[in-house]
Amino acid sequence: MTPDPPPTSGSPGSPALSGLNEGQAFAVGLLGGPILVIAGAGTGKTRTLVHRVAFLLEQGLAPSQILLLTFTRKAAAEMLSRARQMHANAAAVEGGTFHSLCHRLLRQMGRRLDLPPNFTVIDRADSEHIIKAVVEELKLKDKGDKQFPKPRALADIISRSRNLELGLPETVEALAPQYEDYIPQVMGIAKGFVAAKRRQALVDYDDLLFMGEELLRDHPEVRRELARRWRHLLVDEYQDTNAVQARLVMLLAGEHKNVMVVGDDAQSIYAFRGARLQNILEFPHKFPGTRLVKLERNYRSCQPILDLTNAIIAQARERYDKHLYTEQGGGPLPRLLRPRDERGQSREVLKGVQDLLAAGVAPERVAVLFRAGNDSSDLEVELTAEGLAHVKVGGLRFLEASHIKDALSHLRVVANPQDYMSWQRILMLLPGLGPKKAQQIIAAMVRATAPPGYVVALKNLPLVAQVPELGELALLLEAISDPTLSPLSATEAVLEYYEPLCRALYEDHPRRLRELEELPSLARNYDSLAEFMAEVVLEPPASRAEEQGAGRLTLSTIHSAKGLEWDHVFVIWAAEGRLPAGPTLHDPTALEEERRLLYVACTRARQSLTLLAPREHYSRGQGLTQVRLCRFLEDLDPGLLEVPRMGPVFDVAPPAQAPASRGSQRQERPYAVGGQVRHATFGLGKVMGYKGDSKILVHFGRFGLKVLLLEFAKLEAL
């Protein structure tokens, strides 16, 4: 693998080659064969892919001969929209995710694998529901056994076994050793899970990829047809692919070898999802004759931030050598702060944010990043107490909400009548119908007719006379089964039917009904109900509440922050046991990924970067312990970081023996942080901290966080 000479193809006046730096133009202007683009953070990889699409079209390729694979449909749509500004034919280029590609292929050719075209795509929550049913059906759990793995744990073990391509026993031993005694049961559950999916024509995320691979691998005629259809393959974020995705790339490009993959080995941080760093490192060996292009000019960060990130990643064991640089002006050195404890860390971040806001920086241009979701709990209390609006990235996704799943289940049983899980869900929404009765109704429908006639069978059940609501459900399903009805009309009919049920089921129904109003706007984009049902599961949309970041500070895990950027970034808990995380400290491979996590966190910053690492931490089991600075920062050149002398350490509470000075209004802090208290109005609560010396922060179970005046709170310590 040797570097190529500068590109000689393409017209100098070509729109596709204009406005690019030397490295980008080099990558875009290459003609055929395998190409690996190592694109450092902020170096314009998206721009390179966009121009590559336009360049191929300029060379006379038909848009139907190009396939663009990304990790979100939104990314693919945005890239092709930008390419269309250079070449109108880009509108007809196919783009999407690995999962959506396999979904399309299985809809068209899945019968070769005995998969009916009306199969249902299920999400993780659906998988857990099926697994729970399998456990009950096979009677694998002893009553009273509280150690038996929950459905969520079982779903995770089964999925990770497939993505990591490890046997179930090896997966349990490596990732969930607490369940080693249950390995025989786990294997039985996995087998029952597969059988239940096959019986109901259900396909989960993992099935899409593996069945897509099976289709291409075992049916040469399919492979040859697709090779003729797509003459050039472009793949984004290649460092995030897992083993089966890499094999799919091999199968799709195996005939012509015209494949360009773009990625950054230094940003491979999703091993827990099955992402495999070796895919990008081994690409030149899998595709002999690969041409390597490195993008190193950064358009995001100031040079001091790049100097730090270059030094962090330079110590990585396996990597492509690269050195990020910028032609922008200077900038401040990244800062390293070592407050005494977590409360001091929170107050340092709070002060830093307030200084930025006072200087006119918009809140949405500031982010606080951390390794794990619970790392920000103390900071959230401080921000809430100060009234600083913030959004935390993560939490329940739109499609995972129970009311959304309720509504969609009515559409799913019409799209796939064999989806017994969705049948059970919609039946149990009706008053007086529990799991047992719902199963009896489903069994009666199955006995009465084949799947296409389930709705008619439901309508004719004797039980309808006793349960009028069952008749109403049958009428709804009969109406939306009309093949001439659009997905939009079917969705609106379901929402009209479901509204009174939602009001009866949920106390917070106004919020839930507002969120349900998003479904028609999604449904109108599809021509068939089956396509709508599959696509919203393949890439579930975020709710509008999750998308509204204007006017709010962002708190985010590093994993969720990848691909995003802010002017000013704070990274908290840059300390041993947090970043890198405790479980990784004795695993060299996991430690390497922790290094890359820190690299990703730091490269999110444009103008300023602040790293914080408390010097001590109190834990219930160990008491007060000293905290070591993150090992990836310890051995760096001191000139890469500004380490200001810290001011007075932040005490959680003043020493009990310290007398108040004459005339002082200081009050004692009589309630221990973390302790329980009772309030006459708000009931039981947990002390979260203090705001100054006159106010206390208490989180009450029913009323949330309250800031109370100590003088008047009249709390009772428990």
Side-chain angles (χ1 to χ4, degrees), residues 617-639:
H617 176 59
Y618 179 84
S619 64
R620 231 175 131 183
Q622 298 178 311
L624 197 63
T625 57
Q626 298 300 305
V627 180
R628 176 185 158 195
L629 179 66
C630 167
R631 65 182 66 194
F632 311 130
L633 299 174
E634 277 189 331
D635 300 327
L636 297 180
D637 182 335

Side-chain angles (χ1 to χ4, degrees), residues 410-411 414 475-482 485 489-490 493-494 529:
H410 293 84
L411 299 170
V414 171
L475 288 174
L476 167 75
L477 297 179
E478 186 176 41
I480 65 176
S481 296
D482 182 347
L485 202 64
S489 299
V494 167
L529 198 56

Side-chain angles (χ1 to χ4, degrees), residues 109 112 215-231 251-256:
M109 296 177 275
R112 288 176 169 85
L215 182 67
L216 290 168
R217 183 192 63 224
D218 297 347
H219 297 273
E221 76 283 2
V222 172
R223 197 164 60 246
R224 286 192 294 269
E225 178 189 337
L226 296 181
R228 287 193 298 270
R229 184 192 306 181
W230 297 311
R231 301 296 302 166
L251 289 164
L252 289 166
E255 300 282 333
H256 49 67

Side-chain angles (χ1 to χ4, degrees), residues 30-103:
L30 293 171
L31 289 176
I35 303 165
L36 171 61
V37 180
I38 298 298
T43 57
K45 75 170 177 60
T46 301
R47 183 180 182 84
T48 302
L49 280 169
V50 167
H51 282 250
R52 177 68 174 174
V53 171
F55 176 80
L56 292 174
L57 294 171
E58 284 182 358
Q59 303 311 298
L61 257 74
S64 60
Q65 294 179 302
I66 303 171
L67 176 63
L68 171 64
L69 290 177
T70 66
F71 271 79
T72 67
R73 288 183 302 162
K74 182 180 178 183
E78 288 177 352
M79 286 185 195
L80 296 177
S81 175
R82 289 169 57 180
R84 194 164 62 243
Q85 296 172 14
M86 287 177 279
H87 202 294
N89 286 352
V93 170
E94 286 194 65
T97 66
F98 282 93
H99 289 87
S100 64
L101 169 68
C102 290
H103 168 252

